[in-house]
Amino acid sequence: MNEIDLQLLEKEEAERLISNGQAVRLNSRNKSPTLIGDSCLVKVNVSIGVSDNKKIDIELEKVSTLTSLKRESPDIIMDLTITDDYSVVDCLLESFNGPIGTLPHYRVPSKFTPKEYDRALLKHSELLASKGVSFFTIHPTANLDLARIASSTRKTPITSRGGGILLKHTLLHNCSNPFERILPEFVEMCKSYGVAISVGSSFRPSSNNDALDDVHLKEIALQTQYIQKIKSLGGTVFFECLGHADLNQLDTYSQIIKDVGVPMMALGPITTDMAAGFDHITNAIGASYLAHKGGCHVINSVTREEHTGKVPNIDSIVEGLKTAKIVAHSVNIAKFPIYKSIFEKNIYDQRAEKQSCVVDSGLFDEVQRERVGKGCSRCGAQCPLILTQKIKNHV
Ligand code: SF4
């Protein structure tokens, strides 16, 4: 486990939380497991992956950059590739030191008959599990009942790509959701490889207008049923939620999420639909509030390209990641005094010692600093920190 998580949590307490489902251990091939949950540090996930094999090289460069980061390294990486190419997940398994998640249904053709689909889904899931992935996100709630309600009450019924892929199959064959059909076998297979399951959200709000609507509340209730089912089958489970919501809805959401009783990986929540081009910031605002309220245990990094239609480049991915890391750090120092004393006190002490706001430590080592004498060039000779000694002598 993460060394700091171990300082926050006694081993026995960690085992107790894991056994009742409040914490989840994400195994990884190259490292000791990562713990997620309310009593652990909030973690950050970054998602990459391709929808066109011609762009694999660009994505592999992203893997190389992300895995070379030090302090700002993501805690978790997900591969969202939807093609038949495995290079991204293979490269991650080779080079990333944390948990790796993916979605097995992303690569199964919707046109398969239910029987063919189930067989292919299980086979493909087992292939990925045997390679060493840490968790699968599944979308068992993408069903025709919720789709009917969503299409009659929402202007945009569904926004999840994973949910959409499964819904396409269920519409084509007028059948149930594949994960509903194969759940016991799927859970058994995941257990045998130590793979956790994240119950994804297919009908999360696609804009703030749909937050807390009937469809989303019904979906969370159904997600909860799947979580209980997976638990009763002995599987390791957490869930995914949200997307978009107004700030004043997040107290309600965090209570709903706490009631589900397992760790939650948040998508967003993006707090306004008006900031295309700056959604790494709207994501940071929503994720900070939700995580501070205890309703989110893994933050998803979002890029400024979230609503621009462009594929994020590496600079944009790193910018989104750094923004999410600031969120996680801010929540963690507020949540855990010991974490604050390990990291923030050093800055406080250095500022006092050097009589300057400008010191070298921080989350991002590469940031250039400019010092002039004791202060810096901002206030020049009027630097108030220079008064420190005079104030002390005077008092
Ligand atoms: S000059 Fe101003 S900004 Fe710079 S160290 Fe002094 S108080 Fe801080």
Side-chain angles (χ1 to χ4, degrees):
M1 275 189 280
N2 180 308
E3 276 170 37
I4 299 170
D5 274 324
L6 273 179
Q7 288 186 44
L8 301 174
L9 210 52
E10 295 291 328
K11 222 170 177 180
E12 296 71 36
E13 176 63 358
E15 290 305 330
R16 189 188 68 76
L17 294 171
I18 291 166
S19 69
N20 70 20
Q22 285 173 282
V24 159
R25 185 193 277 126
L26 297 176
N27 296 316
S28 53
R29 212 171 70 157
N30 308 328
K31 204 182 112 172
S32 53
T34 295
L35 211 58
I36 57 169
D38 203 34
S39 306
C40 321
L41 292 176
V42 170
K43 310 292 190 300
V44 172
N45 171 64
V46 169
S47 296
I48 54 172
V50 293
S51 49
D52 175 357
N53 282 348
K54 288 190 200 112
K55 299 200 172 130
I56 289 279
D57 286 349
I58 302 170
E59 229 51 23
L60 293 178
E61 268 177 52
K62 289 179 188 170
V63 174
S64 157
T65 303
L66 289 172
T67 53
S68 67
L69 296 173
K70 295 205 164 55
R71 196 174 289 179
E72 66 261 41
S73 163
D75 301 294
I76 300 167
I77 301 184
M78 287 191 74
D79 173 26
L80 309 187
T81 295
I82 55 171
T83 71
D84 55 2
D85 192 293
Y86 289 85
S87 318
V88 174
V89 74
D90 286 342
C91 186
L92 280 172
L93 286 162
E94 244 354 276
S95 55
F96 182 54
N97 275 333
I100 295 158
T102 191
L103 297 90
H105 50 294
Y106 266 18
R107 306 181 200 233
V108 182
S110 305
K111 62 174 190 221
F112 276 10
T113 64
K115 219 173 182 175
E116 289 168 340
Y117 199 102
D118 295 355
R119 225 179 5 242
L121 183 54
L122 276 167
K123 197 171 156 202
H124 182 60
S125 304
E126 181 149 19
L127 172 71
L128 286 161
S130 67
K131 280 175 180 277
V133 301
S134 317
F135 68 95
F136 289 128
T137 297
I138 65 172
H139 289 95
T141 56
N143 66 34
L144 295 176
D145 289 344
L146 282 176
R148 273 184 212 106
I149 307 171
S151 67
S152 65
T153 56
R154 286 180 171 178
K155 289 185 178 165
T156 313
I158 186 165
T159 191
S160 150
R161 181 167 67 176
I165 286 170
L166 293 176
L167 199 58
K168 198 170 160 193
H169 169 77
T170 64
L171 284 164
L172 201 61
H173 300 283
N174 195 24
C175 62
S176 56
N177 182 296
F179 284 104
E180 191 183 329
R181 303 192 296 254
I182 65 163
L183 196 71
E185 288 164 85
F186 181 76
V187 173
E188 213 42 54
M189 184 278 297
C190 287
K191 275 163 58 183
S192 69
Y193 287 96
V195 174
I197 300 167
S198 167
V199 177
S201 172
S202 299
F203 294 96
R204 59 182 184 264
S206 62
S207 66
N208 291 35
N209 198 45
D210 295 333
L212 285 177
D213 73 351
D214 188 39
V215 182
H216 197 216
L217 295 178
K218 279 193 163 72
E219 174 171 59
I220 294 172
L222 192 55
Q223 281 179 291
T224 309
Q225 284 178 27
Y226 275 104
I227 287 163
Q228 295 309 337
K229 219 177 214 172
I230 293 167
K231 269 177 148 183
S232 72
L233 292 165
T236 301
V237 63
F238 60 108
F239 81 120
E240 163 196 295
C241 197
L242 227 37
H244 295 240
D246 295 342
L247 273 174
N248 66 341
Q249 295 174 309
L250 296 185
D251 284 333
T252 308
Y253 265 120
S254 63
Q255 192 52 54
I256 292 171
I257 288 158
K258 281 183 196 171
D259 290 344
V260 178
V262 296
M264 202 282 267
M265 180 190 260
L267 299 169
I270 281 171
T271 51
T272 167
D273 292 309
M274 300 284 289
F278 295 88
D279 278 320
H280 55 307
I281 297 174
T282 58
N283 181 63
I285 294 168
S288 306
Y289 191 87
L290 193 70
H292 176 58
K293 287 285 169 178
C296 156
H297 311 105
V298 180
I299 293 167
N300 261 292
S301 160
V302 161
T303 69
R304 58 171 65 238
E305 311 304 354
E306 182 70 12
H307 292 102
T308 66
K310 294 182 198 161
V311 176
N313 62 22
I314 187 61
D315 289 343
S316 177
I317 297 262
V318 172
E319 177 188 58
L321 167 63
K322 286 180 170 175
T323 312
K325 290 291 278 191
I326 296 168
V327 173
H329 182 79
S330 303
V331 173
N332 287 330
I333 59 169
K335 217 169 158 184
F336 301 109
I338 184 171
Y339 182 81
K340 181 171 178 174
S341 69
I342 294 171
F343 291 105
E344 300 268 324
K345 191 172 171 299
N346 172 36
I347 306 275
Y348 175 78
D349 290 345
Q350 279 196 62
R351 282 187 179 149
E353 189 196 319
K354 295 186 173 144
Q355 290 179 29
S356 172
C357 307
V358 187
V359 295
D360 286 327
S361 313
L363 288 174
F364 311 119
D365 293 335
E366 76 284 9
V367 173
Q368 298 289 313
R369 275 90 163 168
E370 188 176 297
R371 267 185 297 270
V372 179
K374 279 195 169 167
C376 69
S377 47
R378 187 130 0 107
C379 324
Q382 298 305 327
C383 174
L385 294 184
I386 296 168
L387 291 177
T388 306
Q389 205 47 49
K390 285 187 180 155
I391 295 169
K392 280 184 181 160
N393 292 342
H394 189 76
V395 173

